[in-house]
Amino acid sequence: INGTYHTPQIDASGLSPGWHHIAFSFSTSGQWLHIDGVHRATDSGTGVIVYDVDNSIQIDADAGGGTAPEGACFEGKLDEIRVWNVVRTTQQIRENMHLSLVGNESGLGAYWRCDVGAGTALVDSTTNFNNGVFGVGDAAPAWIDSTFPLARGASHSQVVSATGAVMFTGTDVALDFTAKSGSNAFVVSQLLGEPASPPGGPVMGSEYWVIQAHDEGTFTANLTLSGQNEIADEDARDPSRVKLGRRESGDGPDPLLG
């Protein structure tokens, strides 16, 4: 930050293979690193970020002191890059990590969806027109299809520490906790689209859900989905014909059927 390196770090060997959501927050009181909605690291460095019009903003590269990266470029996959001019809270990070944005959200400075599909253009979907270029020199990026769960939709979070029914407003989901110890922050995201890696067989409707439980509590719960009205009459008469796909993480093979 303004010529000084700050490195909130984690041991990446503990991360599972596949896509992960990474959020870095900075303010005059410190820096925070969230991975998949979990606060994983902190750095005490503070200051004010000053934009230098003579130098490019570089993402996932060691900027050094000039306008071109000095090596140490990121080796991996990128999607949905967002820059905010406000500090995002843990709750905001968790509730929005699976939701695509419009581009006019308050505090959103730049939004690169990374969905052009060819070439080197990095198009900003806000009205700030912070367009950029992918790749270094003549090295163009390799475009791929992302399997990270992401779509427009709605998200709601609740802290649960007791048994009983809990509604997650706007998501068509209710969880009835029949056993509960400790406390968990639950986040339910209803995504209005088909998953990038759908389960085998026909998919009913174009919506799916991501349900996450944070913190150290334990629980047993019954899940109710109330918004789906596309079940055929023959399926309603024989519920065994309907399968609910579930996946242990945001990436990987086709979801397990349960």
Side-chain angles (χ1 to χ4, degrees), residues 62-74:
D62 187 351
T67 59
E70 290 188 354
C73 296
F74 176 71

Side-chain angles (χ1 to χ4, degrees), residues 48-222:
V48 178
I49 297 178
V50 179
Y51 175 63
D52 185 347
V53 296
D54 295 324
N55 287 307
S56 302
I57 295 176
Q58 296 171 20
I59 299 173
D60 288 316
D62 187 351
T67 59
E70 290 188 354
C73 296
F74 176 71
E75 296 183 16
K77 305 171 184 177
L78 292 173
D79 195 11
E80 287 286 310
I81 305 170
R82 308 168 182 186
V83 177
W84 301 83
N85 60 24
V86 293
V87 178
R88 304 285 280 175
T89 66
T90 296
Q91 181 176 348
Q92 288 174 322
I93 291 170
R94 290 173 175 175
E95 288 186 347
N96 288 275
M97 59 191 289
H98 292 289
L99 301 182
S100 60
L101 304 179
V102 175
N104 62 356
E105 287 79 2
S106 177
L108 184 63
Y111 179 30
W112 300 293
R113 291 191 172 116
C114 306
D115 59 1
V116 175
T120 60
L122 188 61
V123 179
D124 182 13
S125 295
T126 75
T127 57
N128 298 317
F129 303 109
N130 291 311
N131 299 320
V133 177
F134 257 142
V136 178
D138 295 329
W143 293 90
I144 63 170
D145 292 328
S146 170
T147 56
F148 185 78
L150 180 80
R152 64 184 181 88
S155 185
H156 187 76
S157 60
Q158 294 263 30
V159 175
V160 180
S161 57
T163 57
V166 177
M167 297 292 298
F168 290 84
T169 305
T171 67
D172 295 333
V173 165
L175 291 175
D176 183 11
F177 293 90
T178 57
K180 187 75 187 75
S181 65
S183 179
N184 291 95
F186 288 86
V187 183
V188 175
S189 298
Q190 181 188 35
L191 305 183
L192 303 179
E194 289 190 9
S197 297
V203 176
M204 180 184 65
S206 296
E207 60 180 327
Y208 63 110
W209 290 263
V210 176
I211 302 176
Q212 296 174 309
H214 298 278
D215 307 321
E216 300 299 324
T218 61
F219 61 92
T220 301
N222 296 318

